[in-house]
Amino acid sequence: MLDADLKAQLSQYLEMMEGDVLLKVSAGTDKVSKDMLSLIDELATLSSKIKVENTELERTPSFSVNRMDEDTGIVFAGVPLGEEFTSLVLALLQVSGRAPKVDQNVIDQIKNLEGDYHFETYVSLSCHNCPVVVQALNVMSVLNPNISHTMIDGAVFKEEAESKDVMGVPTIYLNGEVFGNGRMSVEEILAKLGNAPDASEFENKDPFDVLVVGGGPAGASAAIYAARKGVRTGIIAERFGGQIMDTLGIENFISVKHTEGPKLAASLEEHVKEYDVDIMNLQRAKRLEKKALFEVELENGAVLKSKTVILSTGARWRNVGVPGEKEFKNKGVAYCPHCDGPIFEGKHVAVIGGGNSGIEAAIDLAGIVKHVTVIEFMPELKADEVLQESLYKLPNVTVIKNAQTKEITGTDKVNGITYIDRATEEEHHIELEGVFVQIGLVPNTEWLEGTVERNRFGEIIIDKNGATSLPGVFAAGDCADTAYKQIIISMGSGATAALGAFDHLIRN
Ligand code: FAD
């Protein structure tokens, strides 16, 4: 089941277990049960601290991870390999007594949660966002006896997932009701459960010298550069890490041959924390105004003051904006092929968009689904030649060019797509089960209407020092009119904006 390398790695990790752990196993005679049993056998062989007992759980095959004298509520339904393997290792370590790596105030919030919380998360083993949720909810289950969590592999419990119309992973249920979709950290889950800090926690903050709005590569870089100048620096981020949290392999971050987005985001946060930077994560800015100082108002009503502001709010997926897109989001309309591709195994899907991301998505999906139809608005695909060559070699891909998507149809979930042939103006309908929208990004700058000048794409116009049209306000990264949108470019422009802001401070 596990190759030699993985076994060697695993036994090193298992040596870190502090106490005994009891795995209660519910197995049948099917193939997945056999795979699960052989994984559990290997675990028990690698560590004498792992004990195994047969039982009957709500789902078969599944197993729970418990202390010897107390059930934790952590259950893995299916075989947690692939992206979930780390979730299994962490669950074993944490249940054995190793402290989870979360801040003390988060631990306190989890321990203080009152009421019963039974979470269930549908995952796919190739989804890189799923382990974040699984690990967060497992930590919560370890720390609070009123919280339990079951990871459910949607490919193993296909009928169950289909009966609940789960068409995107991770999909999280709380006490039988949908709680959320997509990647969520412990802090985000706690905020959703009503533990978000309110305005009072920000009321008494002294004004900042540099206040960065946005916690992606640009914002992190700006905060580090500003803090290194010894000025009072704060950073507000709706979701620290930004787009790289949704990025799998990164191979063009110079000097690092290969990394993964969430890993890079964790390093960014660690680097920012090396300095005296006030990090205000999970906070969204909604207003910027120039008074005696700049004022940035947060969604929770708090107002932060600063002598200079650096805007680094990045960008988000562009919506196609047709009927059905919003209605069927997570019910067949998806934006992340890596995450949601496996759910459409053996089905017919469309990819809207013939640029690099659309064609990469189509190639990726063609290996999983039955058929992919690419719908491109322009008469030609815009993707790089090399990607087009790979695409056209695939037997299960159809490319429709010069086509305007009119509607994504469905009843309770997607059942088709309607497009207009722009040459003949004829309308066509294709029956299919999934639509992946891949038509680029849109800058997160709507909230700045009437403050700083933006171009027709909504990007903030900046000069060579990162300065915007409003003196004292700077911008960097994907939200600005920089020529290209890349991690290294965002970091560079974040540094420029911070140096520009510092220069502004010393001159004013
Ligand atoms: P973002 O990463 O978008 O970060 C914006 C930040 O602002 C986030 O923290 C967000 O939560 C926050 N924010 C937004 N609005 C508000 C608000 N109102 N208040 C508070 N905070 C707010 N680039 C590469 O170099 N190599 C790659 O391999 C690569 N692959 C990619 C793959 C994918 C799927 C995607 C989507 C992008 C990829 N990119 C890649 C591009 C790269 O991720 C971006 O260029 C980079 O992340 C931009 O950084 P940023 O800090 O400007 O913005």
Side-chain angles (χ1 to χ4, degrees):
M1 170 115 293
L2 304 175
D3 65 29
D5 274 357
L6 207 53
K7 262 193 196 170
Q9 260 183 41
L10 185 58
S11 65
Q12 268 181 3
Y13 283 124
L14 297 183
E15 271 170 30
M16 290 155 61
M17 286 177 69
E18 294 191 353
D20 288 350
V21 165
L22 177 62
L23 303 183
K24 295 189 181 173
V25 184
S26 181
T29 51
D30 55 289
K31 160 125 190 9
V32 185
S33 287
K34 283 182 188 149
D35 287 347
M36 181 187 74
L37 287 174
S38 84
L39 172 67
I40 287 170
D41 270 354
E42 291 195 35
L43 290 173
T45 316
L46 289 173
S47 170
S48 59
K49 290 202 168 82
I50 296 178
K51 318 284 177 200
V52 182
E53 179 182 293
N54 289 328
T55 190
E56 219 167 276
L57 297 172
E58 189 183 340
R59 293 176 184 82
T60 297
S62 71
F63 62 96
S64 57
V65 184
N66 308 293
R67 298 180 190 102
M68 294 309 288
D69 54 352
E70 187 198 12
D71 284 2
T72 58
I74 297 176
V75 177
F76 290 95
V79 190
L81 289 177
E83 295 284 340
E84 291 303 338
F85 187 61
T86 319
S87 306
L88 170 63
V89 175
L90 286 175
L92 290 168
L93 292 178
Q94 288 160 4
V95 173
S96 83
R98 273 198 93 81
K101 280 193 181 160
V102 276
D103 292 346
Q104 189 55 45
N105 75 320
V106 173
I107 294 179
D108 295 342
Q109 282 182 47
I110 296 171
K111 286 188 171 168
N112 291 336
L113 276 176
E114 285 174 9
D116 286 323
Y117 300 88
H118 176 52
F119 288 98
E120 294 167 302
T121 308
Y122 290 87
V123 304
S124 76
L125 298 185
S126 61
C127 157
H128 60 286
N129 288 320
C130 297
V132 177
V133 173
V134 171
Q135 288 161 27
L137 291 169
N138 285 351
V139 165
M140 290 173 69
S141 307
V142 166
L143 293 172
N144 185 328
N146 301 325
I147 302 175
S148 61
H149 174 237
T150 303
M151 178 220 83
I152 304 160
D153 180 357
V156 174
F157 295 89
K158 217 171 175 164
E159 273 179 29
E160 177 181 329
E162 280 181 1
S163 73
K164 287 189 166 168
D165 283 339
V166 172
M167 302 197 80
V169 284
T171 293
I172 310 157
Y173 279 75
L174 170 59
N175 299 335
E177 302 287 329
V178 176
F179 175 75
N181 296 95
R183 185 190 185 94
M184 262 193 241
S185 62
V186 182
E187 291 86 351
E188 284 166 291
I189 294 168
L190 285 168
K192 213 164 171 183
L193 289 172
N195 279 269
D198 61 24
S200 63
E201 291 197 25
F202 300 86
E203 254 162 21
N204 299 321
K205 283 192 192 287
D206 289 337
F208 293 95
D209 293 313
V210 177
L211 183 59
V212 182
V213 186
S221 161
I224 290 169
Y225 265 75
R228 282 173 63 84
K229 291 286 179 192
V231 296
R232 183 167 150 69
T233 306
I235 182 166
I236 306 163
E238 190 178 4
R239 188 177 68 145
F240 199 94
Q243 289 168 61
I244 57 173
M245 296 292 272
D246 302 319
T247 306
L248 264 184
I250 297 169
E251 299 187 339
N252 56 3
F253 183 49
I254 308 309
S255 88
V256 179
K257 279 189 254 170
H258 177 92
T259 187
E260 281 161 13
K263 203 166 150 194
L264 179 58
S267 312
L268 283 183
E269 191 167 358
E270 212 178 297
H271 198 172
V272 175
K273 282 182 173 165
E274 282 289 305
Y275 297 94
D276 189 12
V277 175
D278 188 346
I279 303 177
M280 292 160 274
N281 195 12
L282 305 181
Q283 299 300 328
R284 190 179 158 82
K286 67 169 184 185
R287 181 179 63 85
L288 167 69
E289 204 176 326
K290 170 126 182 70
K291 292 200 177 158
L293 295 170
F294 289 105
E295 290 191 356
V296 175
E297 188 181 353
L298 306 183
E299 290 279 359
N300 69 10
V303 176
L304 299 167
K305 295 188 177 139
S306 186
K307 292 179 190 159
T308 64
V309 173
I310 296 176
L311 303 165
S312 54
T313 47
R316 61 179 188 277
W317 295 113
R318 185 183 291 279
N319 292 329
V320 62
V322 296
E325 181 182 28
K326 229 192 210 160
E327 293 82 339
F328 300 119
K329 191 172 174 202
N330 295 316
K331 297 280 172 218
V333 174
Y335 297 81
C336 176
H338 300 301
C339 314
D340 298 335
I343 291 172
F344 296 91
E345 188 186 347
K347 296 184 173 160
H348 184 175
V349 302
V351 171
I352 302 178
N356 281 343
S357 55
I359 300 311
E360 277 172 20
I363 295 169
D364 189 4
L365 288 164
I368 307 168
V369 304
K370 188 169 154 204
H371 194 89
V372 183
T373 301
V374 175
I375 300 180
E376 164 58 40
F377 182 80
M378 299 303 282
E380 293 306 329
L381 297 182
K382 289 164 287 168
D384 296 345
E385 206 54 46
V386 51
L387 288 174
Q388 293 195 37
E389 277 169 25
S390 306
L391 181 82
Y392 284 121
K393 281 188 200 140
L394 298 169
N396 59 340
V397 175
T398 309
V399 178
I400 301 172
K401 293 183 266 191
N402 214 11
Q404 180 177 2
T405 305
K406 189 178 170 216
E407 186 181 357
I408 298 168
T409 59
T411 45
D412 50 345
K413 56 186 173 185
V414 168
N415 63 17
I417 192 162
T418 306
Y419 70 90
I420 296 166
D421 181 326
R422 293 172 66 215
T424 62
E425 295 195 358
E426 272 172 38
E427 190 171 301
H428 300 267
H429 183 77
I430 310 171
E431 285 182 15
L432 42 73
E433 285 99 342
V435 177
F436 285 80
V437 181
Q438 299 283 306
I439 51 168
L441 298 162
V442 58
N444 295 317
T445 58
E446 296 85 346
W447 66 287
L448 295 163
E449 181 74 51
T451 54
V452 291
E453 242 177 73
R454 294 175 298 155
N455 65 16
R456 68 191 172 92
F457 306 110
E459 297 164 341
I460 302 163
I461 298 170
I462 52 172
D463 69 10
K464 65 180 175 18
N465 298 320
T468 69
S469 57
L470 187 58
V473 177
F474 296 76
D478 282 14
C479 69
D481 64 345
T482 44
Y484 301 101
K485 313 298 185 202
Q486 289 284 283
I487 297 163
I488 202 150
I489 294 171
S490 298
M491 287 183 175
S493 70
T496 304
L499 296 175
F502 182 69
D503 191 54
H504 178 89
L505 282 173
I506 54 175
R507 285 170 200 278
N508 291 275

